[in-house]
Amino acid sequence: MAVLRSAYLRTGILCALAFLGVWMSGPGAKAAPYAALVMDARSGEVFHSRSADRRQHPASLTKMMTLYLAFEAIRDKKISLNQKVRISRHAARQVPSKIGLRAGRRYTIRDLIRATAVKSANDAAVALGEAIAGSDRTLAAQMTPRARHLGMPRTTFAN
């Protein structure tokens, strides 16, 4: 169990580091060019904070929340890392960034987590969401109250 927990911790840390920077582009973008918050989840001690309370519009936050809910579902034994997931047409048709998952093929939750965390793959994230909640729409509906519980009162997820 300690090995599994440390694997979750390592993956969580890697995900946090991978998504620390948020760059906005395009007309009307009002978000800070960089935002970060690194804290001890147990004690709440903040190690680093920069523009942490500014309104941001990062697409990767959705993937981070998908991963967070996936780790909770694994912890609660609703899904398992070695569980195979059939890729839906909807997941396979996602726009880039993606890894090119094919509809009808099966991949493990472990591989979908890795592709979502490392490649920021939309197809893998949607397939993971479908495995967790049945659909990405249902997962989005679960994300907003979870974000509120985590202290993100102005964060809303919608499909």
Side-chain angles (χ1 to χ4, degrees):
M1 190 59 138
V3 172
L4 188 58
R5 281 191 193 138
S6 68
Y8 288 143
L9 181 60
R10 277 194 307 272
T11 302
I13 290 169
L14 288 173
C15 289
L17 292 174
F19 297 118
L20 275 177
V22 177
W23 288 270
M24 294 297 297
S25 63
K30 302 268 191 241
Y34 171 80
L37 177 66
V38 180
M39 67 183 285
D40 183 321
R42 288 191 179 107
S43 70
E45 179 185 358
V46 175
F47 300 118
H48 173 74
S49 176
R50 182 168 175 189
S51 302
D53 293 326
R54 285 184 118 174
R55 185 166 282 213
Q56 304 287 344
H57 302 280
S60 293
L61 181 60
T62 303
K63 291 180 189 119
M64 289 178 62
M65 185 61 82
T66 300
L67 292 167
Y68 187 88
L69 293 178
F71 293 134
E72 282 190 338
I74 292 166
R75 180 199 64 206
D76 296 342
K77 300 189 185 318
K78 293 178 182 174
I79 60 174
S80 71
L81 288 170
N82 294 321
Q83 176 182 331
K84 295 249 181 173
V85 173
R86 186 184 164 278
I87 304 304
S88 70
R89 273 193 213 111
H90 175 63
R93 289 181 178 166
Q94 296 304 301
V95 297
S97 162
K98 63 189 216 169
I99 59 170
L101 299 178
R102 293 187 182 151
R105 299 216 37 207
R106 294 186 178 274
Y107 299 86
T108 65
I109 294 288
R110 179 187 320 271
D111 289 338
L112 295 174
I113 287 172
R114 288 176 175 159
T116 301
V118 175
K119 175 70 170 141
S120 193
N122 291 326
D123 50 358
V126 169
L128 190 56
E130 290 172 345
I132 297 166
S135 74
D136 55 347
R137 193 172 305 275
T138 303
L139 185 70
Q142 293 174 3
M143 287 179 175
T144 298
R146 193 68 183 116
R148 301 279 190 289
H149 179 77
L150 292 170
M152 296 183 276
R154 297 187 307 167
T155 300
T156 302
F157 294 92
N159 190 341

